[in-house]
Amino acid sequence: MALDTRERVRRAAVKLFADKGFHGTGIRDLATESQLSTASLYHYMGSKEDLLVDIMRRCLQTLLDTATAELADVEDPATRLRKLVKLHVRAHARMPRETRIVDHEIPVLSPAVRRSVIGLRDSYERLWADAVADGVEAGVFTTAHPGVTRLALLEMCTGVARWYSPRGSLPLDELASHYADVALRAVGACSQSAAEGQSRGE
Amino acid sequence: MALDTRERVRRAAVKLFADKGFHGTGIRDLATESQLSTASLYHYMGSKEDLLVDIMRRCLQTLLDTATAELADVEDPATRLRKLVKLHVRAHARMPRETRIVDHEIPVLSPAVRRSVIGLRDSYERLWADAVADGVEAGVFTTAHPGVTRLALLEMCTGVARWYSPRGSLPLDELASHYADVALRAVGACSQSAAEGQSRGE
Amino acid sequence: MALDTRERVRRAAVKLFADKGFHGTGIRDLATESQLSTASLYHYMGSKEDLLVDIMRRCLQTLLDTATAELADVEDPATRLRKLVKLHVRAHARMPRETRIVDHEIPVLSPAVRRSVIGLRDSYERLWADAVADGVEAGVFTTAHPGVTRLALLEMCTGVARWYSPRGSLPLDELASHYADVALRAVGACSQSAAEGQSRGE
Amino acid sequence: MALDTRERVRRAAVKLFADKGFHGTGIRDLATESQLSTASLYHYMGSKEDLLVDIMRRCLQTLLDTATAELADVEDPATRLRKLVKLHVRAHARMPRETRIVDHEIPVLSPAVRRSVIGLRDSYERLWADAVADGVEAGVFTTAHPGVTRLALLEMCTGVARWYSPRGSLPLDELASHYADVALRAVGACSQSAAEGQSRGE
DNA sequence: TATGAATGAGTCTTCATTCAT
DNA sequence: AATGAATGAAGACTCATTCAT
């Protein structure tokens, strides 16, 4: 099944934006990587920035949709946090370039579109904030500074995109579980709790 | 105390490289920010890349020197890790731009200089690796995957540079201590240990 | 017959490089002379140096090909030298700019490409060296210093490019013959020899 | 005897202008080669062009003065031509850089100064033209095209500056004599004539 | 005498983008 | 759908020169 050209352009952009940065990637680089002429490129994209926005939105939307779906009927805060961590780690390990682009290139966006992308990111992060807040409120998490903790965990998990390699010795699922353990310890939740037990079924 | 021009250029670069990225910063931006003409700029720097390298090296060297000094006569692995975390967090909170530049812009360096900068970074990270490994060997840390744990902690602490604001409610020293607690929990060290006790004096 | 743009650029470059020198010719000069914008110029050339190399190679290749063809089945050294001189003079009179560029601008080439251009030039000059050496060996030339003589003759003939004008009173063929006579006298060949006779058929 | 600074600058310029061309030589190059700062350079020269003009004028004046002195009381055209050739060859062998600069860089001069330099050059070349014309008039030279012959000889002799090396096997005096022989043959003067005899005393 | 600082105009080259075909 | 041609603006950097010290 041949790769549709539009998709080829997107993949080229993901690769280059992640590896060389948005400003470090030229239209010619994109054209070469897409095996297209620079002029043809413009049949499959709007501007260079449109391409960037498209990549960012898809990535964030995927994250948001997946998380929303997974958390749909989960009440227990520990389980919710556990699921968020695992999902986040897995996503960043599997789409390291897309997530790194979201992580690095937001400041290059023009104001209007930046706001909307940040809105999307905030929606996603609110899921984390809520999970932590709920846990604290329910008394299952004991952390003096929930906001800080949330940021610390997010950064830790996001960092996976900067070093994970599928050739590493630790299988991705175990890695994700390991991160979840660290996270639960960080919020002071007993990791031998039901949350852990429930996770066995995943 | 008038700021020497060379220093003014460096600060301009730190600001712009951190906020707009290396490739997103033009020579004109640097000149404007330094209150110099583009031609004059070149009296105070070699190339744009030289400026970047200078910033990176200073930052990493500071980190390395400080850490080396602090760990000089500390034997206990828990205390060492605690010190590393606090120092790292403080450095990233106080020099967020410099550290973000190190974090983001290494790939834009030309190969020769990149190697040397990476060497410096690796020297610093080895301090972390050693602390973790020693703790595991000594039986005070219990972590199934020391390498992964080290990366997770580093990313978590480095992330501080991306969100910390001195206007936040949590004083920096408490923030650093909080991170140290999370880190020790993450490696499975009992946080009521001597390490914690010793840290009270800091 | 409209002149193809690539050719227009080449001609502009030949004119300017010859008249103002490579370093004395700016990209703007080339653009103006080619009736193109500076950016458009780069559709038709690589770098300024590429353009120079192209001009040099074409010129030397033409010289080499023509000479090789003309000498193909000529045995007599005097006739060979005579043909070389006439061909060289004619070429330098007809392509004075191209040959002057080859003559003046080789030192500006970057090392790698310079070597290859010099190689081409040496191949051509070897035809002269061989002709002189053969004549000396056969006893038809009497010159104490064949190497010096070759250089003297080459410089003399090359100089034509620096002063010849088609508006001069002497027809080019006669000029070339005149030079050939001087050359044969210089190597001590009797100019009433068969060489002279044979040349009538040209 | 320490080299006076002004002279050091001049020598640096001679070297660089000859090797890299006037436009290929930057003020910084001159400063480095002179072991001076660029600003200091301007204590010892006017503009870059002034330096060039100075070099050219000195070279041409030397040539003109020497030739005038040598020809002062020589009547015989063959001897005069012989002397001119030898002197020209020797000068170009001994001052190859200065003469090459005169040869290559006249077109870069601004119109006013160019005219005066060309005037100097023409004065010198007139000595050649006169020698040839006198020889033809006196019947000792037989050349169908005196003007062309003069140019051919001049170019031939000037070319020495482009290849001569003091490490070559042929002593300079012999080289000069050899060129004189070729020249006299070229104008159809019997080289076993009095001219040759007279030259033994040189 | 000597130079660090300064600069407007210039260098070559690439930028992202449009458009006619 | 695809692209060669075209370009104004910008990229990093150097130019020759001046001037205050």
Side-chain angles (χ1 to χ4, degrees), chain D residues 133-155:
Chain D
D134 289 358
V136 168
E137 206 173 323
V140 299
F141 294 169
T142 60
T143 173
H145 314 284
V148 168
T149 302
R150 185 193 87 241
L151 287 164
L153 295 182
L154 260 172
E155 291 291 346

Side-chain angles (χ1 to χ4, degrees), chain B residues 162-181:
Chain B
R162 276 189 277 269
W163 60 262
Y164 176 80
S165 156
R167 277 178 297 284
S169 63
L170 193 58
L172 181 49
D173 278 344
E174 286 183 40
L175 179 72
S177 265
H178 183 68
Y179 265 74
D181 293 345

Side-chain angles (χ1 to χ4, degrees), chain A residues 156 159-165 175 179, chain B residues 148 151-152 155:
Chain A
M156 180 182 76
V160 167
R162 275 190 278 269
W163 60 262
Y164 177 80
S165 157
L175 178 72
Y179 265 74
Chain B
V148 168
L151 286 164
E155 290 292 345

